[in-house]
Amino acid sequence: MQPLIEHRLRLAGYRTRALELEGEGPPLLLLHGFADSADTWRLVLDGLARRDRCALAVDLPGFGRADPATADGTLLEQLDRFVRAAVEHVAQEGGEAVVVGNSLGGCLALRAAQDAGAPVAAAVPVAPAGFDHPVWFRAIESQPLLRALLAAPLPVPGPVWRRVVGEVYRQLAFSGRGAVGADVVGLFTAHQADRAAVLRTLASGRRLLPELRACFELERIDVPVLLVWGDRDRMVSHRGARHVVAALPDTQVAVYEGVGHCPQLEAPARLVEDVEAFVGAALRV
């Protein structure tokens, strides 16, 4: 079983944290969602390690332990440049990578597949953001617990922040409050542990939201696509799949029953199975 290596990388000028498996086969680049980090892929990485798969998960600029995005240009363009550099890094010499992403990461996976110059062999967007009305950010901002904490006149201890952020995370990201364990929630809240971190995240969301409107040119994609969605997704409706299928009729679609916005956490074994089968068939490996 391949060991998981945690280290630092510099990609497109941004310092970031990487979780890496030095395995075999077409390399997988794993991209997390808004407000999340590379830690969201730990359960999937464990499954991939048991299959001796080569994979890399990274913190996107502005999230986790990566450098912040800059004020210059659009946030989406900065993320695109970072992902292009990550794809080039993980792809073997003269080879190509499979880009897998959840939520915002799913949006970036599709946009990477649009980039004719990027060495992308296939894309697996998982509940990608960028389709239909963007309810995900409104759902976050309108959470009563979070609003009350942000309005508190006195300093709030870190453990209280983490407890409240964890409760909001459980309510919005999953099919039910008990769908994931405390360890999964703890990995998420470690990066949203105080008022300053939450305010930075919300500011990034407000900046990003208008950029996600009409952010795709799906007709430019000429690589295989597997679209994964949970049918209990409260953040991004699985009905958004129709846009991808309309533009790319050969898209494979897997809708997971009883799963919320993060299949990589609620159904990691199934996701690993589906990605492995898809890559094997699409790339004939």
Side-chain angles (χ1 to χ4, degrees):
M1 180 172 170
Q2 285 287 330
L4 182 63
I5 303 167
E6 182 168 345
H7 60 98
R8 300 290 293 180
L9 276 177
R10 183 180 289 272
L11 299 168
Y14 300 93
R15 291 172 300 175
T16 188
R17 177 184 60 134
L19 304 176
E20 186 166 11
L21 295 173
E22 296 180 339
E24 302 295 332
L28 305 179
L29 174 64
L30 308 176
L31 305 174
H32 64 78
F34 176 77
D36 215 330
S37 74
D39 292 319
T40 195
W41 297 106
R42 285 186 179 272
L43 297 177
V44 166
L45 286 164
D46 181 71
L48 293 171
R50 297 174 188 279
R51 296 168 178 261
D52 197 30
R53 167 67 72 192
C54 175
L56 178 75
V58 290
D59 290 345
L60 295 170
F63 302 106
R65 297 177 194 163
D67 284 345
T70 69
D72 302 327
T74 71
L75 183 54
L76 204 51
E77 288 171 346
Q78 293 183 59
L79 293 171
D80 284 340
R81 289 196 297 273
F82 176 87
V83 171
R84 171 70 180 268
V87 170
E88 292 173 346
H89 173 82
V90 75
Q92 298 170 1
E93 186 69 29
E96 295 177 315
V98 177
V99 186
V100 184
N102 172 237
S103 195
L104 173 59
C107 168
L108 296 172
L110 283 170
R111 286 173 63 88
Q114 293 173 182
D115 184 352
V120 175
V124 185
V126 180
F131 296 109
D132 297 329
H133 188 66
V135 299
W136 57 274
F137 187 69
R138 188 174 72 234
I140 295 171
E141 263 199 324
S142 64
Q143 277 292 306
L145 282 172
L146 190 59
R147 290 171 64 88
L149 213 56
L150 288 169
L154 299 175
V156 177
V160 176
W161 272 107
R162 292 187 64 171
R163 189 158 56 249
V164 169
V165 168
E167 183 60 30
V168 172
Y169 183 50
R170 285 182 184 275
Q171 289 179 16
L172 294 180
F174 305 109
S175 60
R177 193 180 179 282
V180 297
D183 54 339
V184 168
V185 176
L187 288 171
F188 178 85
T189 61
H191 303 291
Q192 305 292 334
D194 55 36
R195 183 193 301 266
V198 172
L199 287 174
R200 283 195 301 271
T201 297
L202 293 176
S204 293
R206 295 187 196 98
R207 179 181 176 186
L208 186 62
L209 204 57
E211 298 177 15
L212 290 174
R213 298 192 179 99
C215 66
F216 298 117
E217 296 178 59
L218 298 175
E219 66 280 358
R220 294 174 56 187
I221 296 176
D222 63 357
V223 300
V225 175
L226 167 64
L227 185 59
V228 178
W229 231 304
D231 71 344
R232 294 190 183 178
D233 193 330
R234 297 183 177 91
M235 305 286 284
V236 184
S237 171
H238 66 278
R239 292 188 295 274
R242 70 186 188 277
H243 299 290
V244 182
V245 174
L248 305 168
D250 292 334
T251 297
Q252 297 182 41
V253 180
V255 177
Y256 291 8
E257 293 184 7
V259 172
H261 187 57
C262 299
Q264 74 275 13
L265 295 172
E266 284 196 65
R270 180 176 175 185
L271 183 59
V272 169
E273 288 273 355
D274 286 351
V275 170
E276 287 287 280
F278 166 70
V279 171
L283 306 185
R284 292 181 172 83
V285 295

